[in-house]
Amino acid sequence: DAGVIQSPRHEVTEMGQEVTLRCKPISGHNSLFWYRQTMMRGLELLIYFNNNVPIDDSGMPEDRFSAKMPNASFSTLKIQPSEPRDSAVYFCASRGQGASNQPQHFGDGTRLSIL
Amino acid sequence: GENVEQHPSTLSVQEGDSAVIKCTYSDSASNYFPWYKQELGKGPQLIIDIRSNVGEKKDQRIAVTLNKTAKHFSLHITETQPEDSAVYFCAASKGYSTLTFGKGTMLLVSP
């Protein structure tokens, strides 16, 4: 089974540039989560979708961050304009439908460096 | 909201020893407790989970215990091996809610 697929794996760009991170969830999963991981703050939930609809975006740091899920098999997280403090590893995770308390499955992340 | 505390932040053991990582949670309604292992350059991988209707679950060398009264749960790894070296995260949630993660424990197993 293919797991959660994220691209790119690494991104290095200059401050002020637009950054787009991509995620393909596990087929059949109906919930998708975007996390940010840093040494200082650990794993932070940015936003999550259920059936392609954003449910909770309270973790999105500011208006420079936006996320979309146009269909069940694709999501993007966009930062515009990017700043050095956005440097982190960004993870996407998906969760299956059905009974409650299903586990989340993570991708291998995008390591983002803003110079 | 839920708050999950995890201890210790680092743990060093000799190969073959046991390792125990402990977590406490604040929301008594939480009923799902997964553990994740994160290796360098990888995403967190689910290694075991427990639901509040059981007190203990075991999978080969890994076991998790849950004390609902005290609101704490623990990960036990027996006969540790160098490949167990990684960062381990506990988490808690209820129903269809999102997971709240602990800060992680870096486990180092020395040969």
Side-chain angles (χ1 to χ4, degrees), chain B residues 5 14-19 36-37 41 48-49 51 55 78 81 83 89 91 96 99 107 110:
Chain B
E5 299 283 341
Q14 293 290 319
E15 182 177 1
D17 289 349
S18 294
Y36 287 84
K37 175 184 180 182
I48 195 167
D49 57 7
R51 290 167 176 79
T78 58
Q81 302 167 3
E83 51 265 38
F89 293 94
Y96 292 97
L99 289 172
L107 174 64
S110 302

Side-chain angles (χ1 to χ4, degrees), chain A residues 9 33 35 37 40-43 45 48 91 95 98-109 111, chain B residues 31-32 34 36 38 40-46 49 51 89 93-99 101-103:
Chain A
R9 289 298 317 277
F33 307 80
Y35 291 88
Q37 186 177 43
M40 291 298 294
R41 301 172 71 94
L43 265 171
L45 177 67
Y48 91 94
F91 289 104
R95 183 178 68 189
S100 63
N101 296 332
Q102 295 295 312
Q104 292 182 24
H105 299 269
F106 285 76
D108 282 335
R111 182 172 295 275
Chain B
N31 57 4
Y32 177 62
Y36 287 84
Q38 186 176 21
L40 198 61
K42 299 279 191 178
Q45 299 298 309
L46 179 73
D49 57 7
R51 290 167 176 79
F89 293 94
S93 71
K94 56 185 176 184
Y96 292 97
S97 72
T98 59
L99 289 172
F101 285 88
K103 294 293 186 188

Side-chain angles (χ1 to χ4, degrees), chain A residues 27-90:
Chain A
S27 177
H29 283 192
N30 70 330
S31 294
L32 184 140
F33 307 80
W34 282 101
Y35 291 88
R36 179 171 65 178
Q37 186 177 43
T38 60
M39 288 295 292
M40 291 298 294
R41 301 172 71 94
L43 265 171
E44 300 176 273
L45 177 67
L46 300 178
I47 185 172
Y48 91 94
F49 296 83
N50 194 51
N51 294 323
N52 311 338
V53 176
I55 302 299
D56 182 359
D57 65 354
S58 59
M60 296 287 262
E62 47 199 276
D63 292 346
R64 297 185 297 106
F65 285 68
S66 62
K68 294 182 179 180
M69 192 164 186
N71 57 62
S73 59
F74 184 65
S75 177
T76 59
L77 177 68
K78 188 173 292 187
I79 308 173
Q80 166 65 14
S82 57
E83 296 182 5
R85 60 193 168 117
D86 302 330
S87 298
V89 182
Y90 290 81

Side-chain angles (χ1 to χ4, degrees), chain B residues 5-27:
Chain B
E5 299 283 341
Q6 183 172 348
H7 300 279
S9 56
T10 59
L11 179 59
S12 293
V13 300
Q14 293 290 319
E15 182 177 1
D17 289 349
S18 294
V20 181
I21 302 171
K22 299 181 179 181
C23 289
T24 60
Y25 60 100
S26 60
D27 188 346

Side-chain angles (χ1 to χ4, degrees), chain B residues 55-73:
Chain B
E56 183 173 358
K57 184 176 179 180
K58 191 174 181 180
D59 182 3
Q60 299 182 355
R61 297 186 296 108
I62 293 173
V64 57
T65 59
L66 171 65
N67 183 326
K68 288 187 292 183
T69 302
K71 291 189 285 188
H72 68 69
F73 56 112

